Amino acid sequence: MKDAARLLGYFAATVFFGALLAPLLFWKVQWLATHGFFPNLAHYRFEAFFHRAVMLGAIVFFWPLLRGLRIKNRSDLGLAPNLHWRRDAGIGLLISAVPLLCCGIFLLALNVYGLRASVHWPAIGQVLLAGLFVAPIEEALFRGLFLGVLLRSNRPLIATLASAGIFSIVHFLKAPNETNIVVTWASGFNSIAHSFAQFTEPMLMLAGFATLFLLGCILADARLRTRSLWLPIGLHAGWIFVSGAFNKIAHQQMLALPWLGKNLTIGLLPLCVGLISWALLRIWFSHVGSRAH
């Protein structure tokens, strides 16, 4: 119970910090853009800055949480050194990226997506950087810390389901882009208040939450079987990069909930693609053998 209370406190502190910091980030970036620095960032809505501010809060409070939980090294979280980290990261990237890319090509053939007239290639680089930075941070948080803490007092199955639930809820709680047309000091808290709007729409729940929950289970399975974060990082980075890059190259021509949401990782069709990736992951495990104790 003490671990759960500390995790809850960590969540609260992270979100509160993000709500306070997001307006400052937004105004600073707007100021920089008007002076000729990073002009492309001026087009991002406030919600993007709120999400980044929350992520920064997660990093800021990460060390105090470790101290509070008396976690001194990775073995306290059920993690071990991985001599095959390069291979695992690469295999994870392929297992997630290739099926999702095939899904994108299939949707192009069906005219659900169409190729853009022009591609802003620097934006592809930004997506690549996002995959390189976001995947390690989120895996350290969700599969490293949260799953590790849950494993201290729960069976692996319960810990996996709980961590996947946390992962999907955190990613599903998003306020609509039009929530804060005018940004004020209270905009971050306004975003929090509107973050539960998607739970009132059954199709979005089915298309979005279920897929995110499955991805959380796949990532947890990869972490448990290898006792390492490298395979989940590769999987996570592959999903981020292919989904983000595909949206820069192609545009969606029709919304077909619950089969397909706003991007390649939302909907029942991406859910099936996730199951294919999980099957490929299991085949890989049967080939190399699990290193988990």
Side-chain angles (χ1 to χ4, degrees):
M1 290 300 293
K2 289 183 178 180
D3 286 351
R6 289 189 175 95
L7 285 177
L8 184 61
Y10 173 78
F11 272 121
T14 296
V15 174
F16 185 78
F17 178 88
L20 290 176
L21 181 63
L24 287 173
L25 285 179
F26 179 84
W27 291 328
K28 185 64 175 178
V29 168
Q30 295 300 316
W31 182 87
L32 289 171
T34 59
H35 289 76
F37 299 98
F38 311 111
N40 291 333
L41 295 180
H43 302 293
Y44 284 89
R45 305 273 184 121
F46 174 78
E47 298 309 316
F49 293 93
F50 176 67
H51 298 150
R52 298 301 179 269
V54 170
M55 184 175 292
L56 183 58
I59 297 172
V60 169
F61 294 106
F62 190 75
W63 178 249
L65 178 63
L66 292 181
R67 293 287 299 274
L69 292 170
R70 297 180 180 178
I71 295 172
K72 298 179 180 179
N73 50 57
R74 58 188 168 188
S75 63
D76 292 336
L77 294 171
L79 295 170
N82 186 351
L83 299 177
H84 308 282
W85 66 272
R86 292 184 184 87
R87 182 194 66 184
D88 283 359
I91 287 296
L93 187 68
L94 288 174
I95 287 176
S96 62
V98 172
L100 192 59
L101 182 59
C102 291
C103 176
I105 295 172
F106 175 70
L107 292 172
L108 281 171
L110 292 179
N111 292 320
V112 176
Y113 276 83
L115 292 175
R116 297 184 185 274
S118 62
V119 178
H120 185 59
W121 293 107
I124 304 293
Q126 293 176 4
V127 172
L128 176 59
L129 288 175
L132 292 175
F133 284 97
V134 173
I137 291 173
E138 291 198 355
E139 288 313 303
L141 185 62
F142 289 104
R143 257 61 60 179
L145 180 61
F146 293 166
L147 182 56
V149 171
L150 290 168
L151 286 168
R152 301 205 300 190
S153 55
N154 297 280
R155 289 179 295 176
L157 177 60
I158 300 300
T160 294
L161 296 177
S163 65
I166 294 171
F167 176 75
S168 53
I169 289 172
V170 168
H171 286 76
F172 193 69
L173 289 177
K174 292 183 179 179
N177 285 330
E178 299 77 17
T179 300
N180 293 286
I181 303 299
V182 178
V183 177
T184 68
W185 281 107
S187 292
F189 298 98
N190 190 40
S191 293
I192 296 172
H194 287 82
S195 293
F196 296 89
Q198 296 186 94
F199 283 97
T200 63
E201 301 183 38
M203 288 296 99
L204 280 177
M205 278 286 293
L206 183 62
F209 188 84
T211 308
L212 290 167
F213 185 83
L214 174 67
L215 297 184
C217 289
I218 296 171
L219 293 167
D221 185 36
R223 186 264 206 218
L224 288 173
R225 287 176 176 270
T226 60
R227 297 187 64 194
S228 166
L229 297 179
W230 288 107
L231 184 55
I233 287 173
L235 289 164
H236 201 150
W239 284 319
I240 290 175
F241 180 67
V242 172
S243 176
F246 186 80
N247 284 339
K248 301 298 182 184
I249 297 172
H251 63 94
Q252 193 170 9
Q253 300 183 142
M254 64 180 71
L255 190 65
L257 287 172
W259 296 104
L260 187 69
K262 296 179 179 179
N263 57 59
L264 285 184
T265 57
I266 300 298
L268 295 183
L269 180 59
L271 183 73
C272 295
V273 174
L275 289 172
I276 292 172
S277 291
W278 204 352
L280 292 175
L281 190 64
R282 290 302 185 97
I283 293 172
W284 169 253
F285 285 139
S286 67
H287 174 68
V288 300
S290 174
R291 295 190 299 279
H293 298 299

